Amino acid sequence: MDAIEPLFDRNIECLFCKGKYTSKKIRSRFIKVTSYDTDFYPHYASDDHNALLYNIYVCPHCGFSASDDFAKYFPPTTKEIIADKVQKNWVSHDFGGIRTIHEAVKTYKLASYCAVLKKEKHITIAGLYLRVAWLNRKLENTVQEIRFMKLACNEYLQSYSTDDFKGTQVTEVRLLYLIGELYRRCGEIDKSVRYFSMVIEKKNSSIETKIIDMARERWQEIREEKKLSDTIVS
């Protein structure tokens, strides 16, 4: 009997041009997460089985790129805009095989561009930007990591103000925590504390005790760092 391979070809129909193609996915049994960073970035047991690399589908026919989170509906005029901005300028490239981290970054950037043109939910666009930041962390590219964390934070703020996260897997508590954590990682401590406090205030009304505990931990870390800084200065 042949051994089951970690990667398999998933059949895709492009949301935009309806073209058919395949894109690699990793079988769930091979995905093993060993730990998470404080912004939920998953560390995988094997770089070869990094599920982040294969979340985006890039149509080789027209260039339209998407994830499973994209809506099938295209708002008025967006198809014409995508045809002009993406399809017309697409140089045929196949991202359907095994991907490097650098290739995966390209797919997320393509998908985020398509998501903006398509007017996807802010929560969806934020998730794409955050994953670009995570992959740049893996590449130790701090400048690009911070750039995309700031983009993600702005989109999460827009999602919170418009409530477009409702009906998704991202809860209000998780969203507020992420905003606080991204602010913290970008060095905007006062804003970070404000959002962590908003999370902690929900301790009696939320069942997401783990995230509330994480907010407390980040808030305490900020206090300790400030005390240390004040001690050094004095």
Side-chain angles (χ1 to χ4, degrees), residues 181-200:
E181 177 59 7
L182 292 176
Y183 270 138
R184 186 184 75 86
R185 286 176 172 267
C186 292
E188 298 194 55
I189 303 304
D190 289 343
K191 292 179 180 177
S192 174
V193 168
R194 185 192 315 157
Y195 281 91
F196 286 145
S197 297
M198 290 169 70
V199 175
I200 295 167

Side-chain angles (χ1 to χ4, degrees), residues 75-142:
T77 76
T78 57
K79 278 199 167 186
E80 291 80 0
I81 292 170
I82 292 166
D84 182 59
K85 301 287 187 182
V86 178
Q87 187 177 31
K88 190 170 76 173
N89 299 306
W90 178 244
V91 177
S92 185
H93 189 94
D94 187 4
F95 286 98
I98 296 173
R99 292 176 186 168
T100 64
I101 293 180
H102 287 94
E103 287 172 331
V105 168
K106 289 180 182 177
T107 68
Y108 279 105
K109 287 181 177 179
L110 285 167
S112 61
Y113 183 55
C114 289
V116 170
L117 296 178
K118 187 177 176 292
K119 299 180 181 178
E120 280 290 336
K121 288 183 174 183
H122 294 291
I123 196 71
T124 300
I125 298 170
L128 297 171
Y129 286 148
L130 182 59
R131 282 154 181 79
V132 178
W134 288 346
L135 292 177
N136 275 291
R137 187 178 306 166
K138 178 75 173 174
L139 293 169
E140 300 182 350
N141 188 336
T142 305

